[in-house]
């Protein structure tokens, strides 16, 4: 079967070489090892057994300096240039360096020593970057915690990471009170830090192999796992992206920080600061509103934007590529798979350069990059960064031929140290060399390989085509999710006997988690109940959009649950309310927009958007379409405040009526439901003429 896969699309000489090797291997096995399994026969010619399928684009780049040493050099070189901007607040490189020094000395005064960990629990803001830099200057590693996550999840991460201190703000700190912390909490907005020294802390023992941060990702055991990354890995990422991305973007000065600090894409802030560029933080409310984000890009003159494919789709719908909208010079897209439709759209862009980046947290954010151009061919994840080694292996750990699907194994200088406090898992996922892949041996050195669980194949042009996962890990809106973690939480409900969580792509460009479960309880749990339970333990992207009660499981011929046979969830499984149909033109228009975005056949006037599987990124599409439909300004927050068809339609009508002159108000007082969309638009047109 492998030979058949290989020969497709190859020239006659290579086909002959593969068949010759396969026949030679078969003849040798029949003579010397007749009991050898057929699937272990070697079909690769010796010349292709290793080098064509192991890519190490690698001139050895310098990675032996620390992040802090590199930053301090920039602060000396350009002290007065802007380093961090958010809304109306700006810090120069010198100001950022001095304030981070003050906080670092305060951290030392509390007894934190190099090598320990410090948690950061704060909303987005300039103080967040000061805190991160201060922790590194103190010789410690930062552990980012997102205040938007459930308290129980934050509590687990704090207990697992055992920080020596927690940095927070007066606004965020109250959320920590229920966790009964035994370590000091330092408030970032406490003015007493200003009394500390402004000089750079001297850390003689700090090297590039010190831990820089621990970021938590979803874990298959039911709890998140902490990935440990050292300074040198970040330095190599900085050098690699400068060589493969920013070399194509001359004159870049201002780059966004769009991702949450608890998401590994935020590490790219160091690429910008260490290059002397200004980091522009995107406020949370702006991140969730495509129109507002495009305006923010314009106002703050952002040259390069980072985003996920789902967020990019919202920006495209809001007019990112339209001639009259502001746009960045370049966009880095990562965290999930670009659809073929979006890929083709990006290929035709004459105004913006797009880069598709791929990489797990365990390889320090990005391992490969594809520059999307008109001649880029099919969607792909491109070529490795300069110090990343990419190998494709079959299930036995052997190299696969060009064009054949294999698991992606990553090596090189960007690899993480491993998982915090989990040596067995580290040994399972990281291996010392190719031969050790199947043996699950751990190795601390730079020659390790990380088993990603991602599948790909090497194309003729040397780029890699991503083909999905080989396990139960998925990405939803850029967030890596172990389905086992969601299943483990659901099984804690006494009314659930068995559960399967899967990611469905029933709607183009929108993958959703769906939970299927069986129950022998007299009153099986409802979707709303299960959603509320999960929301108290899991982050928002990990909560399924639908919960389907199964009378019995579809089974495969070998008796296992047939995941492909699981049904498409209906509206009931998404916690729909009383399905009274919409009233009036306004409600009908709102309901139709929801149906189009959510891919549902019918929506009632009392249904709630987020109970129907809506999320922050699909909400962007709804807001954009409402603005276009009714020509009124609708902030993203309005969809959260008016979450039913009825209340949102009434709010839209109120906004429309606010634009209408007083002389027309009297005849509209009979009621909103009888007012047609055509009448409203006619009145608006008259008002515009006035």
């Amino acid at each position: 079967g492998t030979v058949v896969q290989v020969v497709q699309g190859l020239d006659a000489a290579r086909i002959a070489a593969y068949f010759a090797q396969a026949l030679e291997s078969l003849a040798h096995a029949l003579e010397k090892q007749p009991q050898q399994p057929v699937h272990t026969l070697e079909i690769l010619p010796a010349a292709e057994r290793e080098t064509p399928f192991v890519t190490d684009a690698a001139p050895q780049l310098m990675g032996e300096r620390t992040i802090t040493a590199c930053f301090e050099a920039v602060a000396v070189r350009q002290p007065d240039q802007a380093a961090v901007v958010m809304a109306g607040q700006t810090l120069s490189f010198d100001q950022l360096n001095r304030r981070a020094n003050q906080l670092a000395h305060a951290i030392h005064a509390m007894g934190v020593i190099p090598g320990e960990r410090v948690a950061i629990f704060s909303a987005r803001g300039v103080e967040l970057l000061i805190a991160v830099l201060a922790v590194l200057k103190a010789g410690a590693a930062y552990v980012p915690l997102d205040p938007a996550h459930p308290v129980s999840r934050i509590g687990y991460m704090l207990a697992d990471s055992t920080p020596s201190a927690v940095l927070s703000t007066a606004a965020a700190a109250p959320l920590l009170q229920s966790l009964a912390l035994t370590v000091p909490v330092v408030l970032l907005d406490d003015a007493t830090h200003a009394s500390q020294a402004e000089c750079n802390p001297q850390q003689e023992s700090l090297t590039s192999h010190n831990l820089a941060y621990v970021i938590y990702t979803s874990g298959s055991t039911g709890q998140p796992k902490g990935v440990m990354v050292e300074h040198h890995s970040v330095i190599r990422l900085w050098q690699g992206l400068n060589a493969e991305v920013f070399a194509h973007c001359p004159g870049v000065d201002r780059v966004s920080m769009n991702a949450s600090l608890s998401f590994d894409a935020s590490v790219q802030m160091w690429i910008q600061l260490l290059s002397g560029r200004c980091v522009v933080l995107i406020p949370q409310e702006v991140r969730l509103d495509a129109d507002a984000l495009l305006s923010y890009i314009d106002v703050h003159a952002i040259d390069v934007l980072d985003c996920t494919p789902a967020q990019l789709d919202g920006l495209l719908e809001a007019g990112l590529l339209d001639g009259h909208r502001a746009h960045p010079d370049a966009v880095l897209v990562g965290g999930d798979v670009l659809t073929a439709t979006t890929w083709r759209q990006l290929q035709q862009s004459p105004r913006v350069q797009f880069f598709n980046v791929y990489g797990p947290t365990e390889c320090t954010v990005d391992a490969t990059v594809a520059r999307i151009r008109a001649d880029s061919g099919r969607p792909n994840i491109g070529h490795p960064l300069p110090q990343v080694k990419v190998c494709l292996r079959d299930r036995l750990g052997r190299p696969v031929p060009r064009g054949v699907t294999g698991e992606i194994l990553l090596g090189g200088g960007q690899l993480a140290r491993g998982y915090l406090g989990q040596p067995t898992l580290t040994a399972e996922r990281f291996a010392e060399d190719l031969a050790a892949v199947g043996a699950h041996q751990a190795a601390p050195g730079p020659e390790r390989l990380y088993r990603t669980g991602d599948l790909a194949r090497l194309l003729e042009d040397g780029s890699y085509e991503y083909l999905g996962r080989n396990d139960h890990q998925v990405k939803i809106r850029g967030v890596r999710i172990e389905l086992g973690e969601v299943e483990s939480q659901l099984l804690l409900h006494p009314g659930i006997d068995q559960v399967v969580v899967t990611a469905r792509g029933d709607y183009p460009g929108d993958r959703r988690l769906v939970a299927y479960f069986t129950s022998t309880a007299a009153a099986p749990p409802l979707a709303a109940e299960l959603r509320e339970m999960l929301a108290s333990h899991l982050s928002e992207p990990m909560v399924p959009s639908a919960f389907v009660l199964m009378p019995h499981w579809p089974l495969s011929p070998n008796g296992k649950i047939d995941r492909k046979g699981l049904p498409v969830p209906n509206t009931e499984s998404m916690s729909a309310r009383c399905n009274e149909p919409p009233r009036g033109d306004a409600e009908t228009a709102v309901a139709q927009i929801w149906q189009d975005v959510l891919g549902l056949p019918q929506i009632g006037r009392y249904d709630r958007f987020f109970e129907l599987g809506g999320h922050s990124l699909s909400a962007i599409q709804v807001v954009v379409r409402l603005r276009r439909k009714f020509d009124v300004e609708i902030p993203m927050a309005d969809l959260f405040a008016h979450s039913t068809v009825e209340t949102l339609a009434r709010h839209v009508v109120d906004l429309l009526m606010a634009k209408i002159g007083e002389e027309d108000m009297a005849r509209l007082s009979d009621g909103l439901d009888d007012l047609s969309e055509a009448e409203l638009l006619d009145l608006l047109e008259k008002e515009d003429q006035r």
Side-chain angles (χ1 to χ4, degrees):
T2 303
V3 174
V4 173
Q5 292 184 62
V6 170
V7 300
Q8 294 177 352
L10 299 183
D11 57 47
R14 290 185 65 193
I15 292 174
Y18 282 123
F19 271 107
Q21 179 61 55
L23 291 173
E24 181 181 338
S25 297
L26 178 60
H28 183 273
L30 289 173
E31 179 182 0
K32 305 292 185 182
Q33 297 174 300
Q35 302 304 316
Q36 181 181 353
V38 173
H39 68 269
T40 66
L41 294 179
E42 182 59 70
I43 68 165
L44 285 182
E48 294 193 20
R49 227 161 268 172
E50 200 55 62
T51 51
F53 313 111
V54 178
T55 308
D56 187 357
Q60 286 301 310
L61 301 178
M62 177 194 66
E64 300 311 313
R65 298 177 67 188
T66 62
I67 297 170
T68 48
C70 292
F71 174 81
E72 288 161 3
V74 177
V76 170
R77 186 172 68 246
Q78 51 186 63
D80 299 325
Q81 290 193 31
V84 182
V85 171
M86 182 172 177
Q89 193 173 6
T90 301
L91 289 182
S92 68
F93 276 90
D94 181 65
Q95 290 171 324
L96 176 58
N97 193 50
R98 290 176 181 274
R99 289 187 60 178
N101 286 341
Q102 291 173 329
L103 183 55
H105 286 296
I107 293 172
H108 273 161
M110 292 165 33
V112 176
I113 61 175
E116 294 183 330
R117 293 175 290 279
V118 175
I120 300 177
F121 184 77
S122 172
R124 299 172 72 83
V126 170
E127 292 79 10
L128 200 62
L129 267 68
I130 295 172
V132 171
L133 183 56
V135 171
L136 295 179
K137 281 174 171 282
Y142 69 91
V143 183
L145 303 174
D146 192 337
H149 286 171
V151 174
S152 61
R153 189 175 181 85
I154 293 168
Y156 172 83
M157 294 177 184
L158 283 169
D160 186 66
S161 62
T162 60
S164 300
V166 178
L167 305 184
S168 188
T169 60
L175 292 174
L176 299 173
Q177 292 178 352
S178 62
L179 299 175
L181 297 177
T182 59
V183 297
V185 176
V186 181
L187 297 183
L188 300 173
D189 39 11
D190 186 344
T192 59
H193 304 318
S195 63
Q196 297 288 337
E198 295 185 349
C199 59
N200 295 327
Q202 298 303 310
Q203 299 292 346
E204 302 298 335
S205 62
L206 192 63
T207 74
S208 65
H209 289 281
N210 275 71
L211 198 61
Y213 63 83
V214 177
I215 280 184
Y216 278 82
T217 66
S218 182
S220 59
T221 61
Q223 297 290 1
K225 55 185 184 290
V227 180
M228 301 182 290
V229 176
E230 300 173 351
H231 282 251
H232 70 88
S233 296
V234 178
I235 297 298
R236 287 181 167 89
L237 173 69
W238 165 44
Q239 295 167 321
L241 285 180
N242 274 344
E244 299 298 325
V245 173
F246 292 96
H248 300 289
C249 308
V252 167
D253 181 53
R254 299 164 73 87
V255 183
S256 74
M257 180 178 164
N258 183 22
S260 164
L261 186 66
S262 62
F263 186 37
D264 69 349
S266 66
V267 176
Q268 291 199 36
M269 65 183 169
W270 296 116
I271 280 71
Q272 315 315 329
L273 290 174
L274 301 189
S275 300
R277 305 185 189 106
C278 177
V279 173
V280 181
L281 280 77
I282 309 295
Q284 181 66 16
E285 64 275 12
V286 173
R287 295 181 66 232
L288 301 177
D289 189 323
D291 276 322
L293 180 52
L294 288 177
S295 297
Y296 198 85
I297 290 170
D298 183 24
V299 170
H300 291 278
I302 294 176
D303 300 311
V304 178
L305 174 73
D306 66 292
C307 65
T308 63
Q311 190 178 29
L312 175 61
D313 287 340
L315 292 171
L316 291 172
E317 188 162 3
L320 172 64
L321 300 183
D322 295 348
H324 64 282
R325 293 302 303 255
H327 64 88
D329 294 330
V331 176
L332 275 69
V333 192
D336 210 341
V337 180
L338 278 172
T339 65
T341 300
T342 302
W343 180 272
R344 288 192 293 270
Q345 196 171 356
L346 303 185
Q347 284 182 296
Q348 305 306 314
S349 169
R351 310 164 68 229
V352 182
Q353 291 193 80
F354 290 94
F355 298 86
N356 187 28
V357 290
Y358 157 83
T361 304
E362 290 83 350
C363 196
T364 317
V365 191
D366 298 325
T368 69
V369 59
R371 187 181 177 197
I372 303 175
R373 295 174 291 187
D375 60 353
S376 294
R378 69 180 71 189
N380 64 81
I381 57 174
H383 300 75
L385 292 181
Q387 287 198 65
V388 174
K389 177 180 290 185
V390 177
C391 314
L392 295 183
R393 295 289 178 265
D394 64 17
R395 60 188 178 85
L396 298 177
R398 302 174 307 178
V400 299
R402 187 185 300 267
V404 173
T405 301
E407 180 185 6
I408 300 176
L409 276 66
L410 298 174
Q414 288 184 204
L415 278 194
R417 181 188 293 180
Y419 299 110
L420 178 64
Q422 299 197 50
T424 302
L425 183 61
T426 299
E428 178 184 336
R429 301 307 298 179
F430 293 83
E432 182 176 1
D433 53 34
L434 301 181
V437 171
H440 297 236
Q441 298 176 6
E447 296 302 319
R448 299 172 304 152
L449 290 175
Y450 170 68
R451 301 181 61 182
T452 67
D454 291 325
L455 300 175
R457 61 174 179 159
L458 185 63
L459 302 176
E460 286 298 320
D461 65 358
S463 61
Y464 290 87
E465 180 183 14
Y466 181 82
L467 298 171
R469 296 284 304 171
N470 67 356
D471 58 14
H472 292 163
Q473 186 186 104
V474 299
K475 279 202 173 180
I476 301 293
R477 287 172 271 144
V479 177
R480 191 169 85 180
I481 295 170
E482 291 279 4
L483 299 180
E485 182 174 358
V486 185
E487 292 171 349
S488 296
Q489 289 292 337
L490 281 169
L491 286 171
L492 296 176
H493 192 289
I496 288 182
D497 300 325
Q498 193 174 3
V499 64
V500 170
V501 177
T502 186
R504 299 190 65 99
D506 300 305
Y507 316 105
D510 186 11
R511 298 187 79 201
R512 304 179 184 182
L513 289 187
V514 177
Y516 299 86
F517 67 97
T518 56
S519 176
T520 54
L526 299 176
E529 177 186 353
L530 295 175
R531 179 175 288 106
E532 183 178 356
M533 182 193 81
L534 290 182
S536 65
H537 296 284
L538 303 176
S539 60
E540 186 256 344
M542 299 177 72
V543 178
S545 297
F547 300 83
V548 182
L549 176 62
M550 299 292 293
H552 54 79
W553 295 109
L555 300 178
S556 63
N558 62 5
K560 296 182 178 181
I561 295 176
D562 180 11
R563 290 175 175 261
K564 294 182 179 179
L566 295 170
V568 176
N570 56 26
T571 309
E572 245 180 56
S573 64
M574 296 180 180
S575 186
R577 305 268 168 157
C578 175
N579 215 14
E580 183 177 329
R583 297 179 187 172
D585 285 0
E587 286 188 13
T588 300
V590 170
Q592 185 60 54
I593 289 173
W594 286 20
Q595 287 173 213
D596 293 343
V597 170
L598 297 176
L600 296 176
Q602 185 177 359
I603 289 178
R605 67 193 307 250
Y606 300 122
D607 285 340
R608 296 183 181 276
F609 180 76
F610 296 100
E611 289 184 355
L612 294 172
H615 48 73
S616 55
L617 292 173
S618 58
I620 292 175
Q621 299 179 54
V622 168
V623 167
V624 169
R625 296 186 188 199
L626 286 172
R627 287 168 176 165
R628 290 178 177 172
K629 180 75 173 177
F630 294 105
D631 191 28
V632 290
E633 184 60 31
I634 302 177
M636 177 65 67
D638 288 359
L639 187 55
F640 290 84
H642 309 281
S643 60
T644 69
V645 168
E646 177 202 25
T647 57
L648 183 59
R650 182 176 291 271
H651 178 64
V652 169
V653 171
D654 287 344
L655 294 174
L656 286 168
M657 292 177 68
K659 297 178 65 175
I660 297 172
E662 291 184 5
E663 66 185 56
D664 293 308
M665 293 296 288
R667 76 182 186 88
L668 300 179
S669 61
D670 293 336
L672 300 177
D673 292 334
D674 297 328
L675 183 67
S676 72
E677 179 185 334
E679 289 179 287
L680 282 169
L681 296 178
D682 180 59
L683 290 172
L684 285 171
E685 185 176 353
K686 291 179 181 177
E687 182 64 19
D688 289 340
Q689 291 173 355
R690 293 194 187 101

